[in-house]
Amino acid sequence: MNTPLDTVSTTPASPAPASPTPRRGSNGWLWLLIVLLIAGGGAWYGWQQWQNRQAQDRAAEADAGQRLEALGERLDTIRTNQEAQNRRIAQADTTNRVLRDELHGIGQRAALIEDSVSKLADPDRHGAQAMRLDETELLLTLGQQRLQIAGDLEGARRAYALAGGVLDGVDDPAYLSLRQTLLQETAALKELGIEPRVQAMAKLDALAQNLSLPPERPSAAAPTLAPWWRRAFGTLIETRPVDRTVATHPSDRAAALAGLQLEISLARAAAERRDADGYRTALKRAESWVRRLSAPSPSQDRQLAQLRELAALPLSLSVPTLGTTLQQLRQLRTAQ
């Protein structure tokens, strides 16, 4: 039996399913995002670097400012030290100049001492005699200055007495006339007695101690019948003439006595400092207070005469021959 040929029916294979094609839009956004991230990271990195550079610049500026300030302080310190050093140098220069002057003065004094020693060692000049004459001249100078400057009469007498004792040890006959002159001047000092200033102050003290209120003048006999206004107001009102020169009221007399004592004290102070004008002016004012205390009378005349006698007293010594011995001694030594 004919069997039909098995025919393999080949049906065309169905096509394989195609792979899906990528989307172009999705890939573009991805790449854009990546680029933006990279750009943002670069920008952030650049910004960080810029911040670091700015911080470094600020730190460098601050450091430079501190260094400049420290440098300025060091310059100020150097200037101060330099000025102090200049002052020390100037002070050292002044000290050296003073030391040079002192050294020069010491050299001069050494030369003078050497000259004096050589003169004392010279047998022709009699060293011991020269020393005695020097001592005599010194004592005479001291006595004259004590009398003229301080008014010390006793000191001057002692100085002249010591000078006479020293001069007695000089056996050179050339000084016999000098010894005689010294004796005459010493005798003149002894004849002066008390120093006038001391004498005037003693008399003023005695006058001040004897001062007292003189008795009041006896008032004229009061009339038997006083005016009516005196009888009415006599216990309340006291009338006194304004042109009266003698104080009668107890308070006025006490004030006048105090004024007299004050003037005598001022006169004593002026005498102590040898103020002749002030001394006589104070005593002149004291006379007006005496006239104020009492009316013209023998007692007032005695007090006024006593004040005038005190005003006429000298306050300083007057010795015309003072210094004669010293002058003669210097002339003799210069001649030798």
Side-chain angles (χ1 to χ4, degrees):
M1 96 188 236
N2 286 335
T3 61
L5 294 176
D6 293 332
T7 57
V8 180
S9 60
T10 59
T11 59
S14 60
S19 60
T21 58
R23 298 177 182 177
R24 294 185 178 271
S26 301
N27 293 335
W29 283 107
L30 179 62
W31 285 108
L32 180 61
L33 179 62
I34 292 172
V35 169
L36 290 176
L37 289 175
I38 293 172
W44 181 80
Y45 178 77
W47 182 78
Q48 289 292 331
Q49 292 295 325
W50 181 77
Q51 289 291 333
N52 292 334
R53 284 195 299 272
Q54 290 292 326
Q56 292 176 1
D57 292 342
R58 286 194 295 269
E61 290 178 0
D63 188 21
Q66 292 178 357
R67 292 184 179 180
L68 286 175
E69 185 177 358
L71 183 60
E73 292 178 355
R74 291 185 60 186
L75 287 176
D76 293 339
T77 304
I78 291 173
R79 291 193 188 96
T80 304
N81 294 335
Q82 185 178 4
E83 292 176 358
Q85 191 68 21
N86 291 335
R87 287 194 296 269
R88 293 192 191 98
I89 292 174
Q91 186 177 3
D93 188 16
T94 304
T95 305
N96 291 334
R97 190 180 301 109
V98 173
L99 291 176
R100 285 196 300 269
D101 295 339
E102 291 183 356
L103 183 61
H104 182 64
I106 291 173
Q108 290 180 345
R109 287 194 292 271
L112 293 174
I113 292 173
E114 184 180 357
D115 188 20
S116 300
V117 171
S118 63
K119 289 180 180 180
L120 291 175
D122 188 2
D124 296 335
R125 293 187 59 87
H126 304 288
Q129 177 177 323
M131 292 183 64
R132 287 183 177 274
L133 292 176
D134 289 338
E135 186 177 359
T136 303
E137 184 176 357
L138 177 61
L139 289 172
L140 291 175
T141 304
L142 288 176
Q144 183 178 358
Q145 290 178 352
R146 291 293 299 174
L147 190 60
Q148 290 180 345
I149 298 176
D152 186 3
L153 182 58
E154 293 299 327
R157 288 171 179 170
R158 287 194 295 270
Y160 270 76
L162 291 174
V166 174
L167 191 59
D168 289 339
V170 179
D171 55 358
D172 193 345
Y175 295 97
L176 290 177
S177 60
L178 179 66
R179 190 177 295 110
Q180 182 178 2
T181 305
L182 179 58
L183 291 175
Q184 294 175 356
E185 194 170 357
T186 304
L189 288 176
K190 290 181 180 179
E191 292 176 357
L192 290 176
I194 304 176
E195 185 183 356
R197 180 173 63 95
V198 177
Q199 185 178 3
M201 289 192 298
K203 290 184 177 181
L204 286 173
D205 292 339
L207 179 61
Q209 292 177 359
N210 295 329
L211 285 179
S212 62
L213 283 174
E216 299 182 7
R217 290 188 306 173
S219 58
T224 56
L225 183 60
W228 66 269
W229 57 268
R230 184 182 296 274
R231 294 195 305 270
F233 303 102
T235 59
L236 301 177
I237 301 175
E238 181 181 0
T239 60
R240 289 181 295 176
V242 296
D243 58 347
R244 183 170 52 190
T245 59
V246 179
T248 57
H249 195 271
S251 61
D252 293 341
R253 296 174 63 79
L257 180 61
L260 178 59
Q261 291 175 343
L262 177 61
E263 296 299 339
I264 292 176
S265 300
L266 292 175
R268 191 186 187 285
E272 188 172 359
R273 65 177 182 269
R274 291 188 177 84
D275 183 7
D277 294 336
Y279 172 75
R280 293 184 177 87
T281 302
L283 291 179
K284 189 68 176 178
R285 291 195 299 265
E287 293 181 9
S288 62
W289 288 114
V290 170
R291 295 189 181 93
R292 177 68 174 164
L293 282 170
S294 61
S297 62
S299 176
Q300 186 193 77
D301 295 339
R302 285 194 302 270
Q303 290 180 350
L304 294 177
Q306 187 177 5
L307 290 175
R308 294 189 185 100
E309 181 182 357
L310 288 174
L313 290 177
L315 299 180
S316 58
L317 293 171
S318 177
V319 185
T321 59
L322 183 65
T324 305
T325 307
L326 181 60
Q327 183 180 1
Q328 185 176 353
L329 174 60
R330 289 173 177 173
Q331 289 176 356
L332 289 173
R333 300 193 70 180
T334 303
Q336 289 183 358

